[in-house]
Amino acid sequence: MNQIQIIESKLEPLRNQLKSHALYSTLSSIEDVAIFMEKHVFAVWDFMSLLKSLQNHLTNVHTPWTPKGKGPTARFINEIVMAEESDINELGEAMSHYEMYLDAMIQVGANTSDINQFIKAIEKGNNIEDAAKKIDLDDPVLDFIKFTMEVINSNKPHSIASAFTFGREDVIPDMFLEIVGQSKTNNEESYSKLLYYLNRHIELDGDEHGPISLKMVAELCGDDTQKWNEVLEIANEALKLRLKLWDHIKSSISLN
C-alpha cells in the first residue's frame, strides 16, 4: 500500500462512525433540518478558511507576482477554489457554496442571525473566540472552528491539506449521501436548495475534489515520514471533532 492508502485504512473506523452516525436518523422534519443547518453552517464557513489558506501557501496571491514553482499543487487548489468560491447554483448564478448554504437555510426557515453576526464580528477584526462570545456559540461548534484555525496557524501546508482532505473533501460524500438518503422520507420541495447543495458536493467531492486533494497531500509530503505522521495525526483529530459536532447536533435536535 502507498502512504495515502495506509492513512485511509487507519482512518476507516472513524469514517465508518461518521457514515453510520445516529444524527442522520434524527432528521425527520424540516425543523430538525433547520437546527442541523444552524450549527453546521459554521463548518461550511471555516472550510473556506482552510481552502484559502492552502491557496495562499501553494500559489502566489501577492503583487508583484513571482512564480512559486508548484505547478501541479497550484492547479489542484485553484480548480477547487474556482468551484467552491464561484460555483453555479440551481438558478445558473455564480455563487460560493457558503452563500448557497445560507440561501438554503433561509428556504427551510433556519435562523441565520448567529452566523451573520459572527461573520460581521470577524469582518470588524474580532478574533474567533470574541466573535463566538457575541453569539454564545456552543462549545462543540467553537472547538471545531478553533481546531481549523490552529491547523491554519501552524503554517504547515501538509497539515492544512490533511484537515482539508481527510477531514472534509474525502469524507463529505459519505456523510452527505446519508443526509440525502434520509431526506427521501420528507417533502423535498421544502428544502430543494439544500438538496442541490448536498448533491453538488457529492458530485464534486466524490468525483473531482476528493481525488485532487489526495494527490495534493501526496505532493506536499513526498517521502518525508514526519510529514506523513503529522498528516495522520491531524486527520484523526479532524474526524474526532466532526464526530463530537455530530453528537452535539443530534442532542440539540433530540431536545427540541
Side-chain angles (χ1 to χ4, degrees):
M1 289 193 295
N2 61 33
Q3 288 290 347
I4 291 290
Q5 291 170 327
I6 291 170
I7 287 178
E8 291 199 310
S9 176
K10 291 181 177 179
L11 295 177
E12 188 172 0
L14 288 173
R15 289 185 55 149
N16 286 338
Q17 287 183 55
L18 276 171
K19 187 176 180 179
S20 61
H21 199 281
L23 166 65
Y24 311 123
S25 64
T26 67
L27 300 174
S28 57
S29 71
I30 199 69
E31 291 78 17
D32 298 335
V33 172
I35 292 171
F36 168 82
M37 297 184 77
E38 287 166 7
K39 298 180 184 299
H40 178 243
V41 66
F42 290 90
V44 176
W45 167 76
D46 82 338
F47 169 83
M48 290 303 299
S49 293
L50 274 176
L51 176 60
K52 300 304 284 187
S53 175
L54 279 172
Q55 188 180 35
N56 288 338
H57 280 286
L58 302 179
T59 71
N60 194 338
V61 296
H62 303 290
T63 54
W65 180 89
T66 55
K68 278 267 190 174
K70 297 178 183 285
T73 50
R75 183 176 180 84
F76 295 158
I77 204 65
N78 282 335
E79 286 183 3
I80 297 174
V81 167
M82 184 178 72
E84 295 289 346
E85 201 166 31
S86 55
D87 199 8
I88 302 300
N89 70 4
E90 79 282 4
L91 300 176
E93 302 164 337
M95 183 179 289
S96 72
H97 284 180
Y98 170 77
E99 291 165 313
M100 287 185 201
Y101 200 88
L102 286 184
D103 275 356
M105 289 181 70
I106 293 168
Q107 185 186 42
V108 304
N111 189 338
T112 59
S113 61
D114 279 355
I115 185 64
N116 287 336
Q117 188 176 343
F118 178 84
I119 294 298
K120 286 179 181 177
I122 296 295
E123 289 174 341
K124 291 179 180 178
N126 286 262
N127 61 36
I128 296 297
E129 294 200 37
D130 287 343
K133 286 178 183 176
K134 292 180 184 297
I135 58 171
D136 197 21
L137 189 62
D138 297 335
D139 286 343
V141 182
L142 179 56
D143 289 344
F144 190 93
I145 295 172
K146 284 171 63 177
F147 172 74
T148 298
M149 297 306 158
E150 287 169 6
V151 173
I152 290 171
N153 292 334
S154 73
N155 283 318
K156 295 180 177 181
H158 63 281
S159 293
I160 301 169
S162 176
F164 178 86
T165 300
F166 297 108
R168 308 294 181 104
E169 296 292 270
D170 200 37
V171 76
I172 279 175
D174 285 345
M175 295 188 301
F176 284 2
L177 276 169
E178 295 299 324
I179 296 173
V180 170
Q182 178 65 24
S183 75
K184 300 303 181 184
T185 62
N186 299 305
N187 177 14
E188 294 181 16
E189 291 183 4
S190 60
Y191 49 99
S192 59
K193 290 180 180 289
L194 174 61
L195 286 179
Y196 179 88
Y197 170 90
L198 295 174
N199 282 315
R200 187 68 178 136
H201 264 280
I202 291 166
E203 176 187 355
L204 286 174
D205 297 340
D207 296 339
E208 300 176 28
H209 294 179
I212 289 174
S213 299
L214 292 171
K215 290 179 182 178
M216 176 176 62
V217 172
E219 182 84 15
L220 290 171
C221 289
D223 297 323
D224 191 320
T225 301
Q226 182 177 342
K227 286 183 178 179
W228 281 113
N229 289 338
E230 290 176 350
V231 161
L232 178 58
E233 180 182 350
I234 293 294
N236 264 307
E237 187 64 19
L239 292 180
K240 287 176 181 177
L241 284 167
R242 172 75 70 165
L243 281 167
K244 289 181 180 178
L245 177 61
W246 262 208
D247 288 342
H248 171 64
I249 298 176
K250 176 186 176 296
S251 296
S252 299
I253 291 172
S254 299
L255 290 171
N256 185 47

